[in-house]
Amino acid sequence: MAQDYACKSLGLFLFLSDNSSGYIRLYYSLVGPNYGQTVFDAPGKSIVYSVRLISDFSLALFVADQLRIPDSLKYLLRAMAWGASATAIAGIFYLVSKFDIYHFITGLGEQVLNNDRTRGLSIEPRAMGLGAYGVMVLLLGRRSISKYWILLLFINLFD
Amino acid sequence: MDDNLKQIAILFTAFAVPILLLLFKQQRILLAWVGVTLLVHIFDTSIYTNLAAGRLVGLAFFCQVRFSR
């Protein structure tokens, strides 16, 4: 507590992340074993959060850079529509056959197999809600997304 | 196949796809990869790293920009 107070009063925060304990800090310690020393540390999950933040920001830059090119938006939306449809088809397949494709491919998530909720190609059933993006994209783009847009829309809605 | 081997194969794929597409300057296909992996979570890595496939694209892009200047 005292060390945190010293850190906040004297420290220079180099990088703030999305968790209260997830920051990299450089400070002059007034208490504890590091008394009188300049400390550079990364408590908690700072490295993990920092890498996530950098990768998210870089991904946003990449997508923004690509979307400056004409027709790239349509290309991205098509990929999203087909991705959502693939997840929806896998979900419907599970309802019919009780065969979990996600578990077969990745070997993960056995704990959700026995609750009778389909999860498609996602790690958990809640992520099937992302199919709403597929519905949105198909309703906005319609024939420019795919000539089978009505079929894909029906699959995503059924899911 | 052993579950760990599956995860290692997925991790390798999730790293290899964006790196190769960036190396061969296929940014449009990489954009499609981002769009698909946003909704298909098979390539989200859970061994050694816990990063989604899209985040690995971001990391690869960051490294490419950083080291190509």
Side-chain angles (χ1 to χ4, degrees):
Chain A
M1 186 72 177
Q3 197 168 6
D4 266 357
Y5 178 74
C7 170
K8 284 168 185 169
S9 57
L10 294 173
L12 168 64
F13 287 80
L14 293 181
F15 192 72
L16 286 171
S17 185
D18 56 352
N19 182 285
S20 58
S21 65
Y23 46 77
I24 300 170
R25 57 192 184 179
L26 175 66
Y27 63 96
Y28 182 78
S29 178
L30 293 174
V31 290
N34 296 322
Y35 177 78
Q37 295 176 3
T38 302
V39 180
F40 181 52
D41 69 357
K45 295 184 174 178
S46 356
I47 301 298
V48 174
Y49 287 130
S50 305
V51 170
R52 284 183 181 181
L53 199 64
I54 289 168
S55 55
D56 285 352
F57 186 63
S58 302
L59 179 63
L61 283 181
F62 169 74
V63 173
D65 184 44
Q66 288 301 305
L67 291 183
R68 290 186 303 127
I69 303 168
D71 272 354
S72 284
L73 179 62
K74 197 187 294 180
Y75 209 71
L76 177 64
L77 294 181
R78 275 183 192 155
M80 287 175 66
W82 283 109
S85 302
T87 299
I89 289 168
I92 294 168
F93 184 71
Y94 176 78
L95 283 179
V96 174
S97 66
K98 298 296 177 192
F99 179 75
D100 191 50
I101 298 175
Y102 184 86
H103 180 64
F104 176 72
I105 295 174
T106 65
L108 294 177
E110 302 91 337
Q111 70 275 10
V112 299
L113 286 180
N114 295 323
N115 64 5
D116 274 344
R117 288 181 68 194
T118 178
R119 60 176 172 175
L121 297 177
S122 308
I123 195 164
E124 58 174 321
R126 284 184 302 173
M128 288 291 281
L130 288 172
Y133 287 110
V135 173
M136 182 185 71
V137 164
L138 286 164
L139 284 176
L140 287 173
R142 287 175 287 192
R143 190 164 282 278
S144 65
I145 298 294
S146 168
K147 61 181 177 182
Y148 305 112
W149 74 274
I150 294 180
L151 176 66
L152 297 180
L153 183 67
F154 178 75
I155 290 170
N156 279 286
L157 281 174
F158 182 79
D159 170 54
Chain B
M1 189 190 288
D2 184 27
D3 287 351
N4 273 348
L5 281 179
K6 286 180 180 176
Q7 284 300 308
I8 289 170
I10 287 170
L11 179 69
F12 177 77
T13 309
F15 267 108
V17 168
I19 290 171
L20 288 176
L21 290 176
L22 282 171
L23 279 178
F24 290 106
K25 300 189 185 308
Q26 299 293 327
Q27 275 89 351
R28 184 168 268 206
I29 299 177
L30 186 57
L31 187 67
W33 171 259
V34 170
V36 169
T37 55
L38 187 69
L39 295 151
V40 173
H41 297 161
I42 284 175
F43 297 101
D44 292 1
T45 58
S46 64
I47 191 166
Y48 303 128
T49 66
N50 191 20
L51 294 172
R55 282 185 167 137
L56 293 178
V57 174
L59 273 184
F61 181 66
F62 177 79
C63 295
Q64 187 222 17
V65 172
R66 176 67 186 83
F67 295 116
S68 65
R69 300 281 163 92

